[in-house]
Amino acid sequence: MTEKTFMAGFGGQGVISLGQLWVYCAMKEGLEVTFFPFYGAEKRGGVARASVIVSSGEIASPLVTRPDSSVVMNPDSLPLCEEIAKEGGVMLVNSSLVKSGGARKDLKLVMVACNDIAEKIGDVKIANMVMMGALSKVTGAVKLDKLEAVLKTFFPESKHRFIPMNMQAIEAGRAAV
Amino acid sequence: MELAYGHPKSLKPIQTKYCPGCGHGVIHRLVAEVVDEMGLQERSIILNPVGCAIWADLYFDFDSVQPAHGRTPAAATGIKRMLPDHLVICYQGDGDLAAIGTAEAVHAANRGEKFTTIFVNNAIYGMTGGQMAPTTLVGQKATTAPYGRDPIEAGMGYPIRVCELLATLGGTKYLARGSVDTAVNVRKTKQYIKKAFEAQMRGEGFSMVEVLSPCPTNWQMSPPEAAEWVGQSMAAFYPLGEIKNTLEEAKR
Amino acid sequence: MAEDKRLMKGNEAIGEAAVRAGCRAYFGYPITPQNELTAYMAKNMLDKKRTFIQAESEVSAINMVYGAAATGARTMTSSSSPGLSLKQEGISYACGADLPLVIVNVQRSGPGLGGISPGQSDYFQSTRGGGHGDYYHLVLAPKSVQEAADLTYEAFDLADRWRMPVMILADGLIGQMMEGVVLPPARDLAALPRKPWAVGRQADSHRPINHVTSINLVPDELEAANRKRFARYDEIKQAEVRFEEVNTEKAELVFVAYGTSSRVCLGALEMAKKAGVELGLFRPISLWPFPEKRVAELAAKGKKFLAVEMSMGQMVEDVRLAANGKTEVGFYGRCGGNIPSEEEVFAEAMRLVGTKSGK
């Protein structure tokens, strides 16, 4: 099994955290992983993109150029993901911000109202976690069963009180697809 | 019987390559005498700069390191940080310190690196044959200032007073300017060097002794004329004495 | 027992490996895309009471390393391409003074200020003695975060063994990406090799004085010193050549690529397998010494080569030298911060295979 995912959004949407947590959980599940963020000169507010691969075998190129799955967090990212998505691949779209699913008919389109669901839970900042829950359900590549433990090392102690909310977002994401 | 006078142990008993009337020989001797007096011969490391004093490793009888031109304070930083209980002597000329290595000197001083710079200021490039130095006086001739240093028309800049420049920095604790033009000034210079070395061994911060030094060859003067020029022309622009002393003992 | 696998950025894994290898002093200057490495060293050297200095420039940083290395301490600096240009002076001096130290280059794209995205265009500078004078030093190119950590850890041993700088030639992708890594055990600082040539601590042994220097104005003496160093280079060429081969026996066409480019080629190999075509990969790990003998052997067997680089073609010159006209050597490169995709590399390989077999 190899799942290549391309994740895109704008800075501050948690795209980088989403990618990091995805591979962190995958590694804990015994998979090989690689995560490559497209780093830019701007540290905030710019474009956030990441190449993310999880695999049961050795990973060749860390660069995702024909993603099995794409994560589209904002409208600007849609054309980009449409251009590179693999024939017959999956495209998960944050429908709270992206109203259309694009023109590609071969893709399996999954619309998830990440921002709305996150706000209902209590914080729009966890929209990325809603998306991760959906991604897990749709691809089956990473089970996320070790996420709670991972979050304990990922977040500093002072932020541990937000973990239940994050777990809730994952479940809501799963339920939405 | 007490030995009243002798050749310092830390200086090899050989003739130097320095020109007649050059100040380096005297300054080497002062450094070696202080090292001996402090009993630090086996715990001293000298950095030989690019310039005439690159030969220092031939004369000092202790360990030496020779870095790239002007990078002397950076290398001294690496050495002293690894060997904090050693006496690290960063020996530099005016080109090494105040031209090519200005950044290294300023930042090492500002970090308060706990080594001592011996800054030999002879207002000229010696080894390369008499080019203008950052400390060349206005009007002074050099092969690259054949009509005299002209800060305005030729845009050659002004002589840099290094002690005064460094005095504003928080990391500098002891900055003194001596001279080797007369016996009295030689003796004072030795006192400055001793104060600086002692401060270094107490770990107080950056210390530097600038020494006004004659270069008869490149100034095209006889040794007595050169010594006189140090006292009259150089010392008039570069005032002698302790320019900054914020050592603990001075505060008491 | 090995530690658990950790998820780390390449830059941070390099830093942790250096700490564990016994690096006692790190000197660096900020430059993208290696900033996490400098920050990691600040955090993880200072808390161990080891030396960390953010230098005023790359020039100063390498000369601080020069000074620390002269005392016999394990020491390192890191930077990215433009910063490496500045360090070349110091590297030349360190080679001339036979000082062991470690330099990490997380390459970006050039020339000039260029861009901050990954590049492999410092190959010439790194493998040809990028400063003045006759010299070389070991250059190791990792392909993954794990290998970046392993090679950095080993670089300190190699530097001490051969008394020379060792460069880790990574790139922005290796530095910025996260992968799983199992870190080597921390070295006991007290058990690191003694260096009788180093300055300092003379009082312990009353040995004769030591000089660390690269100057010698007597032509015959300097020539003799250079010849002695080159004899050591010959020994290194015997002992330290490293490479990896994938499917080179069956393949008609073999990619030659290092670091990130080699990973892309592995992707093209997978595509080839699915298409029923046999392609191979030859991956130099030591860029100096370059695995020229093995490349020559493969050339003699009639393998065609396709060098793939994130440059306009630098390593390909070493491939051509080693192949010595015995086989065709193609080149495919992207630059400016672009990383070639496995699709384009595969397509180029197919074009070459197709052309040569007359299909």
Side-chain angles (χ1 to χ4, degrees):
Chain A
M1 184 283 298
T2 298
E3 181 73 25
K4 300 184 182 183
T5 310
F6 187 82
M7 301 177 176
F10 54 74
Q13 277 191 305
V15 169
I16 300 302
S17 308
L18 165 55
Q20 288 182 350
L21 284 167
W22 179 253
V23 296
Y24 208 143
C25 289
M27 191 180 78
K28 293 289 175 194
E29 291 173 27
L31 299 173
E32 296 294 324
V33 303
T34 176
F35 162 83
F36 175 51
F38 290 72
Y39 54 94
E42 315 90 357
K43 289 283 173 201
R44 293 282 178 274
V47 187
R49 291 175 199 159
S51 277
V52 183
I53 305 174
V54 301
S55 176
S56 49
E58 195 192 343
I59 295 171
S61 174
L63 201 65
V64 175
T65 44
R66 283 268 169 265
D68 302 306
S69 46
S70 315
V71 167
V72 180
M73 289 301 283
N74 71 335
D76 287 352
S77 302
L78 183 66
L80 178 70
C81 290
E82 272 201 292
E83 195 188 324
I84 62 172
K86 197 172 96 177
E87 179 80 27
V90 182
M91 194 157 81
L92 293 100
V93 176
N94 177 11
S95 58
S96 304
L97 298 182
V98 190
K99 295 302 169 198
S100 115
R104 290 257 311 248
K105 298 296 170 220
D106 61 307
L107 300 178
K108 182 182 171 191
L109 191 66
V110 182
M111 304 295 277
V112 191
C114 299
N115 288 34
D116 299 299
I117 296 170
E119 266 172 36
K120 239 176 256 168
I121 295 170
D123 194 339
V124 71
K125 274 192 225 154
I126 53 174
N128 61 342
M129 303 301 279
V130 175
M131 182 54 96
M132 187 156 72
L135 185 66
S136 171
K137 173 92 174 284
V138 171
T139 65
V142 183
K143 294 195 280 289
L144 301 181
D145 56 352
K146 305 211 165 47
L147 179 63
E148 197 160 351
V150 163
L151 286 173
K152 277 183 187 154
T153 49
F154 195 79
F155 286 141
E157 191 110 5
S158 61
K159 299 254 171 85
H160 281 190
R161 62 201 156 92
F162 297 116
I163 291 177
M165 200 164 84
N166 277 272
M167 298 305 293
Q168 215 183 324
I170 294 287
E171 286 316 314
R174 277 191 220 277
V177 293
Chain B
M1 200 165 62
E2 197 189 333
L3 181 67
Y5 184 83
H7 193 86
K9 271 197 308 169
S10 294
L11 203 62
K12 291 179 189 166
I14 52 172
Q15 199 177 337
T16 73
K17 297 185 187 192
Y18 299 125
C19 305
C22 169
H24 277 306
V26 178
I27 299 164
H28 282 17
R29 182 176 175 120
L30 296 181
V31 167
E33 283 179 2
V34 177
V35 167
D36 283 357
E37 285 165 21
M38 294 174 70
L40 291 173
Q41 187 181 5
E42 289 193 322
R43 263 206 290 161
S44 294
I45 298 165
I46 191 156
L47 289 103
N48 319 309
V50 172
C52 291
I54 197 153
W55 303 123
D57 64 354
L58 296 177
Y59 311 128
F60 286 106
D61 201 356
F62 43 78
D63 287 355
S64 79
V65 175
Q66 179 262 307
H69 195 17
R71 318 301 173 220
T72 336
T77 297
I79 296 167
K80 183 70 184 188
R81 293 286 186 115
M82 293 299 96
L83 298 168
D85 63 344
H86 282 52
L87 181 74
V88 176
I89 305 159
C90 185
Y91 198 104
Q92 296 192 265
D94 38 49
D96 201 63
L97 190 153
I100 195 168
T102 315
E104 285 80 358
V106 167
H107 286 277
N110 190 49
R111 285 192 305 269
E113 294 296 343
K114 298 174 182 73
F115 60 78
T116 303
T117 295
I118 302 293
F119 169 37
V120 179
N121 179 1
N122 59 13
I124 200 93
Y125 279 69
M127 183 175 247
T128 46
Q131 292 85 355
M132 187 182 79
T135 52
T136 294
L137 297 181
V138 171
Q140 185 188 339
K141 284 185 179 166
T143 60
T144 50
Y147 311 110
R149 183 173 196 169
D150 172 7
I152 299 164
E153 284 284 307
M156 290 173 170
Y158 295 87
I160 298 173
R161 292 186 182 98
V162 175
C163 280
E164 288 80 352
L165 187 77
L166 297 183
T168 63
L169 305 174
T172 56
K173 297 292 169 195
Y174 185 75
L175 303 167
R177 185 182 287 120
S179 167
V180 289
D181 63 327
T182 65
V184 172
N185 282 338
V186 167
R187 233 173 271 135
K188 273 192 195 157
T189 299
K190 183 177 169 183
Q191 285 165 8
Y192 298 152
I193 293 173
K194 191 155 193 178
K195 258 194 197 178
F197 284 2
E198 284 173 351
Q200 177 185 163
M201 295 312 284
R202 288 195 304 271
E204 285 205 38
F206 183 81
S207 56
M208 183 181 84
V209 179
E210 175 176 345
V211 187
L212 304 184
S213 175
C215 181
T217 302
N218 287 302
W219 294 351
Q220 297 176 8
M221 293 178 190
S222 69
E225 282 169 350
E228 205 172 295
W229 197 79
V230 169
Q232 289 181 357
S233 303
M234 285 189 77
F237 185 80
Y238 299 111
L240 302 180
E242 291 180 333
I243 307 299
K244 178 177 182 181
N245 183 357
T246 53
L247 298 175
E248 289 305 314
E249 60 174 24
K251 287 181 195 158
R252 271 184 236 129
Chain C
M1 210 186 90
E3 287 183 21
D4 281 351
K5 196 185 261 193
R6 290 162 67 170
L7 184 68
M8 284 183 107
K9 260 192 177 196
N11 282 334
E12 294 176 342
I14 288 170
E16 182 59 27
V19 170
R20 291 175 181 224
C23 179
R24 284 185 53 215
Y26 170 92
F27 308 95
Y29 184 85
I31 183 169
T32 307
Q34 65 85 56
N35 289 316
E36 297 83 1
L37 175 46
T38 309
Y40 191 91
M41 294 309 269
K43 191 167 179 218
N44 293 282
M45 293 289 278
L46 293 174
D47 70 342
K48 293 173 187 62
K49 304 285 175 219
R50 299 190 196 176
T51 296
F52 166 88
I53 297 180
Q54 180 178 324
E56 57 273 20
S57 69
E58 281 98 348
V59 177
S60 288
I62 188 71
N63 282 284
M64 289 172 184
V65 168
Y66 182 96
T71 70
R74 287 193 161 185
T75 177
M76 180 173 103
T77 185
S78 65
S79 189
S80 179
S81 307
L84 260 294
S85 294
L86 288 169
K87 288 187 196 294
Q88 292 302 331
E89 175 199 54
I91 296 171
S92 169
Y93 277 70
C95 287
D98 299 312
L99 286 178
L101 48 92
V102 175
I103 306 149
V104 178
N105 181 1
V106 183
Q107 293 175 94
R108 52 193 256 184
S109 49
L113 201 50
I116 58 172
S117 298
Q120 291 184 323
S121 46
D122 298 350
Y123 182 91
F124 285 155
Q125 187 197 55
S126 309
T127 60
R128 296 296 191 274
H132 60 282
D134 274 328
Y135 70 88
Y136 296 92
H137 55 72
L138 279 153
V139 183
L140 304 173
K143 66 163 183 180
S144 63
V145 173
Q146 180 67 58
E147 204 175 65
D150 292 344
L151 291 177
T152 302
Y153 189 75
E154 212 185 336
F156 286 89
D157 294 333
L158 291 170
D160 284 350
R161 186 176 311 145
W162 297 108
R163 270 191 78 176
M164 65 157 56
V166 177
M167 181 181 285
I168 300 297
L169 193 64
D171 62 60
L173 183 137
I174 305 279
Q176 292 292 327
M177 77 174 167
M178 293 179 102
E179 290 186 329
V181 55
V182 179
L183 289 157
R187 291 250 199 254
D188 175 5
L189 291 186
L192 294 177
R194 299 266 156 237
K195 297 170 185 173
W197 48 263
V199 299
R201 302 193 185 85
Q202 192 195 3
D204 297 350
S205 62
H206 311 295
R207 58 161 170 77
I209 60 173
N210 283 336
H211 301 296
V212 172
T213 181
S214 62
I215 192 175
N216 196 327
L217 297 189
V218 182
D220 285 344
E221 286 179 18
L222 183 55
E223 184 178 24
N226 285 341
R227 287 190 185 283
K228 202 174 151 199
R229 197 172 295 117
F230 270 69
R232 181 152 35 103
Y233 293 164
D234 286 338
E235 284 179 54
I236 294 169
K237 285 180 183 176
Q238 295 300 316
E240 302 296 352
V241 168
R242 293 154 192 238
F243 55 84
E244 182 191 1
E245 287 181 46
V246 182
N247 202 38
T248 49
E249 286 304 316
K250 286 190 201 156
E252 179 191 348
L253 183 125
V254 174
F255 290 116
V256 186
Y258 69 94
T260 291
S261 296
S262 74
R263 297 278 296 265
V264 172
C265 291
L266 274 179
L269 254 59
E270 286 178 359
M271 294 176 71
K273 208 177 210 173
K274 281 179 199 155
V277 183
E278 297 288 355
L279 294 179
L281 168 67
F282 183 83
R283 176 173 75 95
I285 298 170
S286 59
L287 302 184
W288 192 90
F290 188 76
E292 53 199 22
K293 269 189 201 159
R294 184 59 187 153
V295 172
E297 281 170 19
L298 291 172
K301 287 183 185 176
K303 307 287 180 190
K304 284 168 216 134
F305 293 127
L306 175 58
V308 178
E309 299 177 59
M310 280 135 65
S311 80
M312 291 301 287
Q314 301 196 7
M315 180 200 65
V316 64
E317 292 196 2
D318 275 339
V319 181
R320 289 197 175 118
L321 278 171
N324 199 19
K326 300 242 164 55
T327 187
E328 308 248 336
V329 181
F331 173 72
Y332 188 81
R334 294 294 303 272
C335 66
N338 285 314
I339 302 168
S341 69
E342 50 200 39
E343 290 82 9
E344 60 191 279
V345 167
F346 175 67
E348 179 65 9
M350 286 298 92
R351 194 181 71 79
L352 291 182
V353 172
T355 307
K356 292 319 290 179
S357 56
K359 280 175 206 162

